[in-house]
Amino acid sequence: VAGFGRLVREARGDEEGTMAEQIGGTTPKTRLRRLPELGSYERSVVYEILDSTSVCHVAFVVDGQAMVLPTLYRRRGDTLLLHGSRSSRMLRAMVDADQVCVSVTTIEGLIVARSTFNSSVAYSSVSVFGPARLLDDLEAARDALDFLIEGILPGRTEEVRPSSDSELRRTSVVAVEIVEASAKISQGPPSDDDDDIETDVWAGVVGRSESWGPIIPAPDGPVGRGEVDVPSSVRRLVEGSS
Ligand SMILES: Cc1cc2nc3c(=O)[nH]c(=O)nc-3n(C[C@H](O)[C@H](O)[C@H](O)COP(=O)(O)OP(=O)(O)OC[C@H]3O[C@@H](n4cnc5c(N)ncnc54)[C@H](O)[C@@H]3O)c2cc1C
């Protein structure tokens, strides 16, 4: 199971020597109540989890109705960059709110305990709180969008035409400032009841990995006719994850 547990141990070790930089846990907003021993408020731990994936869930309220929607993001410095249509209610509500909450989760495995009660998921998750602002300058938006694309498919911006001004005007780019955050990391092994441990019921952790592929060319144009090679950005992505 992937090594975010190592990150927490390192951060704790670090705390004993130098002062690890904490970005949460000092207010009720980010203080973990259940299983706080799985938590970390260390900036480097939070950022490594944020950088390990590209999908977040954004909580927002529209007309008194709470909503949660998934969307792409990448971290740049102390901000998360998100984008979408100009008419996105989610992005508008984020900018209108004083504070937003963004959540990120990766699942590294299944923790299969000797009882269903103690079984669980091996995960790493982060909650981020902070204000959101619209990048309304066209060049700032273009730069942020390129950063977002490069974070997901490195090298792609060099292979395609630049976004047009019209495309940029139809796109909102929002930056969420990471003011406060918490991480929670559950890796196993199972934590079974004493009475269950000496039974012959199997228990352990089933790891999970993600990879990219297969590559399916677009059906139309020269690509569909097999006249265009798979670009290096796509080859690198697939080879790097296999
Ligand atoms: C994949 C996955 C599956 C889970 N399954 C379950 C489940 O089935 N049942 C269940 O009760 N819980 C589950 N959890 C844990 C859940 O996310 C909460 O941590 C838990 O419900 C207890 O929260 P709390 O009462 O301490 O949090 P609260 O007191 O409600 O939260 C206070 C603050 O703690 C921080 N926090 C809380 N949880 C997390 C988290 N997971 N990651 C980062 N920061 C956090 C946030 O900053 C939050 O604002 C799961 C988590 C993940 C990632």
Side-chain angles (χ1 to χ4, degrees):
V1 178
F4 289 119
R6 166 191 57 81
L7 285 177
V8 173
R9 285 190 296 277
E10 280 175 9
R12 286 190 184 133
D14 194 38
E15 277 169 51
E16 288 164 16
T18 58
M19 268 299 284
E21 193 191 351
Q22 309 287 308
I23 53 171
T26 52
T27 73
K29 197 159 59 181
T30 49
R31 195 177 307 125
L32 282 148
R33 289 162 187 81
R34 246 187 67 65
L35 302 175
E37 66 278 12
L38 300 181
S40 172
Y41 308 108
E42 162 71 18
R43 186 185 293 276
S44 64
V45 173
V46 168
Y47 282 10
E48 191 152 347
I49 296 171
L50 288 175
D51 293 349
S52 72
T53 187
S54 306
V55 176
C56 63
H57 285 80
V58 177
F60 59 102
V61 176
V62 175
D63 299 331
Q65 173 64 59
M67 299 181 74
V68 178
L69 288 180
T71 193
L72 282 173
Y73 78 95
R74 289 304 290 177
R75 178 183 71 85
R76 179 158 71 178
D78 296 332
T79 63
L80 300 179
L81 295 173
L82 285 67
H83 84 302
S85 153
R86 276 276 155 182
S87 58
S88 162
R89 290 200 308 174
M90 176 184 78
L91 296 178
R92 277 211 307 262
M94 288 176 78
V95 174
D96 289 346
D98 284 344
Q99 290 268 320
V100 298
C101 180
V102 178
S103 163
V104 169
T105 304
T106 63
I107 296 179
E108 282 98 50
L110 271 187
I111 301 174
V112 183
R114 295 171 178 89
S115 64
T116 51
F117 182 85
N118 288 318
S119 296
S120 178
V121 189
Y123 64 77
S124 307
S125 57
V126 163
S127 293
V128 168
F129 294 88
R133 72 188 160 83
L134 187 67
L135 302 187
D136 39 19
D137 174 77
L138 225 52
E139 285 317 307
R142 187 193 309 277
D143 181 56
L145 283 172
D146 283 353
F147 182 88
L148 197 63
I149 299 294
E150 285 295 310
I152 293 162
L153 183 53
R156 188 57 177 163
T157 53
E158 295 294 313
E159 297 169 346
V160 294
R161 63 169 175 78
S163 299
S164 68
D165 287 359
S166 153
E167 287 170 333
L168 289 172
R169 275 192 289 272
R170 283 180 278 148
T171 305
S172 290
V173 183
V174 166
V176 176
E177 193 187 340
I178 305 170
V179 171
E180 235 186 293
S182 58
K184 195 170 179 182
I185 300 168
S186 172
Q187 303 277 281
S191 176
D192 277 302
D193 295 355
D194 289 345
D195 289 349
D196 291 331
I197 290 175
E198 291 307 324
T199 64
D200 59 2
V201 175
W202 187 87
V205 178
V206 184
R208 178 176 176 274
S209 60
E210 284 185 44
S211 60
W212 294 102
I215 299 169
I216 303 160
D220 42 10
V223 174
R225 295 195 293 277
E227 296 162 11
V228 180
D229 289 340
V230 173
S232 49
S233 65
V234 173
R235 274 192 279 109
R236 274 196 307 268
L237 183 75
V238 171
E239 284 159 14
S241 75
S242 57

